[in-house]
Amino acid sequence: MKHLIISIVIIWAFFQISSLIWSSKGQPPSATFTRLLEPPEHRLLDPYQNGYYYLLGFAAAYSLDPAKVGHEMWLETTAAPGNSEFNYDKPGRSELQIQLPMEQVLPSWNSQNPVREFRNMKARLQTLTGRDHTLLTRYERWLAMPFEDMGFGHQGTPRFVEIFVGHRFYIADGFSRQTALGMQRLTKDMHTWRSVLRDATTIDTKVMAQIFITDDLRLLSTLLSQPTVNKTVLAMTPNIAPPLTTAESSLRWPLQHQFTLGVHGEHTGELTTERQTESLDTHEEWLASAAHLPKQAFRQIAHPHGRSFLGISLRTRETWEMYATYYDAMIHAEETGQSTLPKLYELAGTAHQGIVESLVSPNSFEPDWDPFHYQLRETDARLRLASLQVVLRRPSAQTTVPNRLAQVGSSYYDPFSGLPMLWSPTQQKIYSVGKDRYDDGGDVSFDISVPAIVSLAPAPKESQATAPTRPSVRH
């Protein structure tokens, strides 16, 4: 009798699960679901002129064209479903690879007086040979190329270490020759990476753009904190570092990209090899470390492969429709400037699930996009702080720094609090409260701070003394 009851329950469960799965498959997708799976439109027709492919093949052998190598790697992932990671193991594809943590790439970058250090390295920088010379020349070539992120819907993570090395050599070499040349290169670098940030369709590219922008800003803030600052640095900074635009701070395409990977992963995920996964982890680990993100940040937004029953995915259309609603809500929150992102449980209550569906397809996975959301605000805060460093060095009739930080305008307020940036007279720093939204006195462990030298001399003309000083913004 016991075995009979068990058999009946199993048969009942089989028909219930089969009915659940196949009934959901027969339902037409919603407009939101369909829209989230639509890839971005492509503008560049010649792949060899697209800086994205050049970036993929950046570490290729001296004799190879990085753009052609990168395009070949991309085509391989397109032609073989499930083989979605970029294969750097083929001969020549990573001949110039570098295994270095970020802080060991040109350490003088983070010195107290980097320009002086760069000039001491002038002879070395102007006579680079071998791999270093190739990375520098390739980086200069890459900066001159149009860029369109072709990673949408692809699992692979490009190698970025060699790009980072070329970036630092490029700017350091400019400053070693002349401050004006260094600032011109810094400006070009910032504008290029902000374009990449604006047009990124994957979270990897979005994060990498911020790594480069932040690296440039740290160098710039160090230059602005010197006792004597070159007039060229002061004059060019406001045009380099205006606040992020709505497009630059949007996570729309990275969110759609990750949703697309989750939906398509139901069919191709089990074909991914363990070696490819380890390789992907290595590249993402470098990105997370360089961006000061949690170590598992990228894994915490990747949908795990769903459970299956007799080879059939147990994730129903209703499940993915709910995720579509969730991703759409996150996109809306980002684009309307909301300080926090919605949570899945806030939306899950509107989805109607039966007992069996709840058992076979529980909505236990909630992607954690908060680290990436806060990283964009941190990047915005650093841009605003750099401009404010220039403001505070200008003569002003205002006798207190807080008044000057308040009168400069809301465009340069703290993106975390919506209030003016804060001033620490003991540390001589201006700072943002950071993602915890608590005033920690400029402590770099919690707040985002930069040194500031303040000029309190009255302006030469009365009209200048009564008007608030604002950094110019390039439109």
Side-chain angles (χ1 to χ4, degrees), residues 427 429 431-432 439-449:
Q427 299 186 62
K429 289 181 177 180
Y431 60 96
S432 157
D439 181 358
D440 296 293
D443 186 337
V444 294
S445 300
F446 305 99
D447 298 333
I448 304 167
S449 63

Side-chain angles (χ1 to χ4, degrees), residues 217-293:
L217 286 171
R218 284 178 175 149
L219 176 63
L220 181 60
S221 289
T222 301
L223 299 182
L224 292 169
S225 66
Q226 300 298 314
T228 302
V229 180
N230 188 291
K231 292 182 179 180
T232 302
V233 177
L234 291 173
M236 296 179 68
T237 296
N239 287 332
I240 296 176
L244 290 181
T245 65
T246 301
E248 290 169 342
S249 59
S250 173
L251 283 172
R252 175 197 168 192
W253 283 113
L255 283 163
Q256 287 191 224
H257 162 73
Q258 212 65 37
F259 177 78
T260 300
L261 289 181
V263 173
H264 292 169
E266 293 291 301
H267 308 289
T268 63
E270 60 186 15
L271 299 177
T272 302
T273 67
E274 182 178 353
R275 184 174 184 181
Q276 289 170 331
T277 302
E278 290 176 354
S279 175
L280 182 65
D281 286 340
T282 300
H283 301 323
E284 287 184 344
E285 184 178 350
W286 189 92
L287 274 179
S289 175
H292 301 288
L293 292 167

